[in-house]
């Protein structure tokens, strides 16, 4: 293996052979990573634009690899999905996120990413119920973030699972909205509470009038369907102002904070409230 230092994340040689070798290596190492406590969670604040209030946070997984250092979930989650390890890792994330969030003050929520494969193949209802009862976190404070890839396979079974979860009080968000192939057709039938506007739109909305119109349409659609809207990837005041003007209530992004330890995120937002 190569020395992969420099930067926040370990980088990798883009040539296909090297990438494949690294991917096989990561897949092998991932099997022991849970047991060896190499995964941890970071939390990114979700802020109500109007009040500047902290509403909750999204849990984002990190892997501290003994040799390569920090590895991005954008790299290892796809490997976990293709190897099937995502079910075990996703279960750990769910339990860990609930355990941490149960100690947070007030009504703060926690959002957990659930892979399509995990949602389909694992007993997600049992896992959620165990994670909630074990941690004492009220169901209304847990949000599951699903992408539309969860609905590509067995639509009926997936909808049944979502309905069952929602009946227990868990919140369901459709993640990365607008980036898939047929987002619109899902909206009619899915039992959803929230839409997350993908950051690719937020990033371009102030430079490209067409993108701004798309964001406007997504927000108006969500409002019409009585879904909460969360914009991801909010980096500037300009973006936050534009989103709020368009009727989006909640934002998440570097403007408000990078993913961080829960304790630091909480103290930052408590401190700001006292100002
Ligand atoms: P996502 O669910 O769309 O999460 C948002 C990603 O955007 C996160 O990257 C976050 O750190 C990043 N981000 C947040 N605000 C900004 C911003 O203002 N600007 C920019 N440029 N980026 C921002 P991260 O943590 O690297 O995660 C990447 C993806 O990996 C996530 O995308 C999600 O699909 C997946 N992921 C992360 N944690 C988990 C997990 O526990 N389970 C599963 N299944 N997937 C996860
Ligand atoms: Ca997400
Ligand atoms: Ca996204
Ligand atoms: Ca995503």
């Amino acid at each position: 293996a190569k020395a992969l230092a420099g930067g926040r994340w370990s980088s990798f040689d883009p040539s296909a052979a090297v990438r494949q070798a690294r991917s096989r290596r990561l897949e092998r190492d991932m099997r022991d990573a849970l047991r060896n406590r190499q995964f941890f969670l970071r939390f990114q604040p979700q802020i109500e634009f109007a009040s500047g209030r902290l509403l909750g946070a999204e849990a984002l997984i990190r892997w501290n690899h003994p040799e390569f250092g920090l590895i991005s979930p954008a790299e290892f989650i796809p490997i976990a999905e293709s190897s099937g390890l995502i079910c075990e890792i996703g279960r750990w994330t769910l339990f860990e996120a609930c355990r941490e969030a149960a100690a947070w003050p007030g009504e703060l929520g926690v959002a957990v990413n659930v892979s399509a494969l995990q949602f389909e193949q694992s007993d997600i209802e049992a896992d959620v119920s165990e994670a909630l009862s074990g941690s004492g976190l009220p169901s209304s404070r847990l949000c599951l973030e699903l992408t539309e890839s969860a609905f590509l396979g067995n639509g009926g079974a997936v909808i049944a699972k979502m309905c069952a979860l929602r009946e227990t009080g868990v919140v369901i968000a459709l993640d990365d909205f607008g980036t898939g192939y047929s987002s619109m057709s899902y909206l009619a039938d899915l039992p959803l509470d929230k839409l997350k506007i993908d950051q690719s739109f937020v990033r371009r909305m102030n430079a490209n009038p067409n993108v701004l119109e798309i964001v406007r349409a997504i927000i108006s659609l969500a409002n019409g369907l009585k879904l909460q809207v969360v914009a991801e990837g909010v980096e500037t005041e300009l973006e936050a102002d534009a989103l709020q003007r368009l009727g989006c209530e909640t934002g998440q992004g570097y403007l408000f904070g990078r993913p961080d330890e829960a304790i630091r995120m909480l103290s930052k937002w408590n401190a700001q409230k006292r100002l």
Side-chain angles (χ1 to χ4, degrees), residues 113 147 175-176 198 232:
N113 291 286
T147 58
D175 204 356
D176 297 345
D198 191 67
E232 56 172 46

Side-chain angles (χ1 to χ4, degrees), residues 26-141:
L26 293 183
E27 183 182 333
R28 220 176 335 115
D29 294 348
M30 215 181 283
R31 297 179 199 286
D32 301 318
L34 264 184
R35 191 162 39 78
N36 295 336
R37 300 168 181 270
Q38 290 164 8
F39 293 115
F40 59 98
L41 296 183
R42 286 291 178 253
F43 295 90
Q44 187 175 36
Q46 298 184 327
I47 302 299
E48 185 176 63
F49 288 126
S51 63
R53 210 160 48 97
L54 178 68
L55 298 179
E58 178 177 5
L60 293 157
I61 195 170
R62 302 288 179 257
W63 182 8
N64 189 9
H65 188 281
E67 188 179 328
F68 301 145
L70 266 193
I71 301 177
S72 162
E75 183 181 11
F76 74 80
I77 291 290
I79 300 172
E81 283 172 334
S82 65
S83 68
L85 282 168
I86 190 65
C87 291
E88 224 184 307
I89 294 171
R91 198 177 126 88
W92 176 85
T93 303
L94 176 67
F95 277 68
E96 185 66 13
C98 290
R99 188 187 66 75
E100 289 218 36
W104 298 352
E107 299 288 287
L108 295 180
V110 67
V112 176
N113 291 286
V114 179
S115 280
L117 200 87
Q118 181 195 353
F119 196 81
E120 218 177 302
Q121 296 191 352
S122 66
D123 190 347
I124 187 81
E125 293 159 67
D127 288 348
V128 163
S129 135
E130 212 185 307
L132 291 174
S133 61
S135 63
L137 185 75
S139 58
S140 60
R141 287 170 55 191

Side-chain angles (χ1 to χ4, degrees), residues 175-177 179 197-200 232:
D175 204 356
D176 297 345
F177 185 75
T179 58
I197 305 177
D198 191 67
Q199 59 189 35
S200 58
E232 56 172 46

